[in-house]
């Protein structure tokens, strides 16, 4: 499965598998959405570690990451804690 990216105003909605090769496309869509962009992960069912690092960097910059599954949130937290050590 690939990644589908839909942009509605400031919201960038992702569907499918979010992997490192999709990062340039997602970044470009977010840049077009402006400084108050929101990344909606409701329909993402698979990510890789580079995507997790990207999501953490988004939140660190003030970008809202919403509707992420429990496993994605847990992995994000685990990576933040690992990098803090």
């Amino acid at each position: 499965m690939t990644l589908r990216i839909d942009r509605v105003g400031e919201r960038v909605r992702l569907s499918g598998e979010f992997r490192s090769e999709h990062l340039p496309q997602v970044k470009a869509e977010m840049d077009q959405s402006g400084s108050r962009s929101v990344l909606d992960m409701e329909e993402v069912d698979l990510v890789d570690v580079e995507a997790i690092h990207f999501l953490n960097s988004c939140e660190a910059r003030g970008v809202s990451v919403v509707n992420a599954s429990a496993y994605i949130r847990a992995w994000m937290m685990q990576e933040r804690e690992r990098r803090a050590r």
Side-chain angles (χ1 to χ4, degrees):
M1 183 173 202
T2 60
L3 181 71
R4 178 179 170 162
I5 304 170
D6 296 308
R7 185 168 41 89
V8 178
E10 295 173 341
R11 183 173 293 252
V12 177
R13 187 169 190 197
L14 306 180
S15 304
E17 298 178 3
F18 184 21
R19 299 181 182 270
S20 59
E21 61 262 21
H22 303 121
L23 291 175
Q25 296 165 302
V26 173
K27 288 176 184 177
E29 288 295 329
M30 291 178 67
D31 288 345
Q32 292 180 8
S33 296
S35 61
R36 296 179 45 200
S37 61
V38 174
L39 193 54
D40 188 340
M41 304 282 294
E42 184 174 11
E43 295 184 18
V44 173
D45 38 34
L46 187 67
V47 295
D48 64 12
V49 70
E50 289 84 6
I52 292 295
H53 293 164
F54 173 74
L55 295 173
N56 280 335
S57 71
C58 286
E59 286 191 338
R61 291 189 328 268
V63 174
S64 296
V65 177
V66 298
N67 300 321
S69 69
Y71 105 86
I72 292 173
R73 281 284 171 202
W75 195 2
M76 289 172 68
M77 184 179 301
Q78 180 182 15
E79 286 297 312
R80 276 194 304 268
E81 290 170 357
R82 187 182 67 78
R83 286 185 175 232
R85 289 185 222 149

